[in-house]
Amino acid sequence: MDHVKTAEALVHSRFPEARAAFLAGSVLTARRTATSDLDIVVLLDGPPAPFRESLVHSGWPVELFVQTEAVWRTFADQETAARQSPLLAMCADGMLLADRDGFGTALQAESRQRLAAGPPPLTATECEDRRYALTDTLDDLRGCTDPLERTYLVAALLQGASELALLVGGHWLGTAKWLSRRLATADPGLHRRLTGAAAAAVADQPGGAAEFEAAVHTVLQRAGGPIWAGYRRGPQDRTP
């Protein structure tokens, strides 16, 4: 538990007036690695908040997210609109390091409630835009003969298909490793199929590209199917 003691000592020394503080991230899980950092969210009444800082403390890499309640709510609302939940997740799943007058406990309960409610659903226009982007890129992959270009196309399709699968299922998005983790939790079978086929396609293994195309097509079918001919967008179609 050295990581917890280190986080507690840092918060207590630098932010003795903190209303709340949370230690979050992979460091609290079995996924902890040698490069895992300490993600710490700190809530203050005012200055020096808000700021974000990266540092090394007692040998540990640390990411500080120092905010006021008003700033926290602004970020949480922006995340919800973007259907990604890093701040809410850190507070919902994190370990309370400081809790003045029960504020941290209340904020954690609110974060859990907001996460459980899920992200806003896709609009019909947004869904169609994502279907079109996947269909178009999938066509590019089918005609690709350059192995270097194929790597980029597979990467774009893997991200786009993973995001569309999550959104159609009403799940939160993530970036990089968190996109993989979100899909693995929401649909383990699809996650294994997409990532395995993507790796095979990039490596140019026999049948790899065809299997990857089939996996992406599965996601498209769940969202309403491929779309290309007849797709049209104008200023009136933009999502607010």
Side-chain angles (χ1 to χ4, degrees), residues 9 14 32 36 39 64 77 88 140 153 157 199 208 217 233:
R14 285 196 57 177
R32 183 170 64 249
S36 292
D39 294 321
L64 286 173
D77 290 344
L88 289 174
D140 286 340
L153 290 169
L157 285 164
H217 188 74
R233 281 291 174 268

Side-chain angles (χ1 to χ4, degrees), residues 16-202:
E17 75 284 15
R19 297 183 67 193
F22 304 85
L23 171 63
S26 301
V27 73
L28 294 177
T29 74
R31 295 180 182 271
R32 183 170 64 249
T33 70
T35 60
S36 292
D37 55 14
L38 305 182
D39 294 321
I40 303 176
V41 179
V42 180
L43 276 294
L44 303 179
D45 286 319
F51 68 90
R52 176 175 176 171
E53 181 181 352
S54 299
L55 65 148
V56 176
H57 182 79
S58 298
W60 283 90
V62 179
E63 290 276 3
L64 286 173
F65 305 87
V66 184
Q67 303 166 350
T68 63
E69 181 179 359
V71 170
W72 184 94
R73 295 193 178 283
T74 296
F75 275 120
D77 290 344
Q78 290 173 348
E79 284 185 358
T80 299
R83 305 183 180 96
Q84 296 193 51
S85 57
L87 179 60
L88 289 174
M90 284 192 288
C91 295
D93 302 329
M95 176 183 294
L96 266 174
L97 301 176
D99 185 11
R100 194 177 80 197
D101 300 328
F103 176 70
T105 299
L107 203 63
Q108 187 164 64
E110 178 181 342
S111 298
R112 290 172 177 171
Q113 183 178 36
R114 294 179 69 161
L115 275 182
L122 274 181
T123 66
T125 298
E126 288 173 320
C127 187
E128 195 172 72
D129 287 346
R130 286 179 175 269
R131 288 164 54 205
Y132 173 81
L134 276 183
T135 302
D136 191 50
T137 308
L138 198 55
D139 285 342
D140 286 340
L141 179 63
R142 292 191 184 104
C144 181
T145 58
D146 184 328
L148 301 183
E149 287 186 359
R150 182 173 61 243
T151 300
Y152 283 89
L153 290 169
V154 170
L157 285 164
L158 178 60
Q159 177 174 335
S162 298
E163 290 180 348
L164 184 56
L166 286 169
L167 291 171
V168 168
H171 304 288
W172 292 97
L173 296 176
T175 58
K177 66 183 181 183
W178 282 104
L179 179 58
S180 175
R181 292 177 184 180
R182 297 286 188 214
L183 185 58
T185 298
D187 192 332
L190 178 62
H191 176 262
R192 287 192 298 270
R193 186 181 177 193
L194 273 174
T195 54
V202 169

Side-chain angles (χ1 to χ4, degrees), residues 1-15:
M1 299 295 285
D2 179 60
H3 52 289
V4 176
K5 293 180 180 179
T6 300
E8 288 177 335
L10 175 59
V11 169
H12 292 158
S13 64
R14 285 196 57 177
F15 310 105

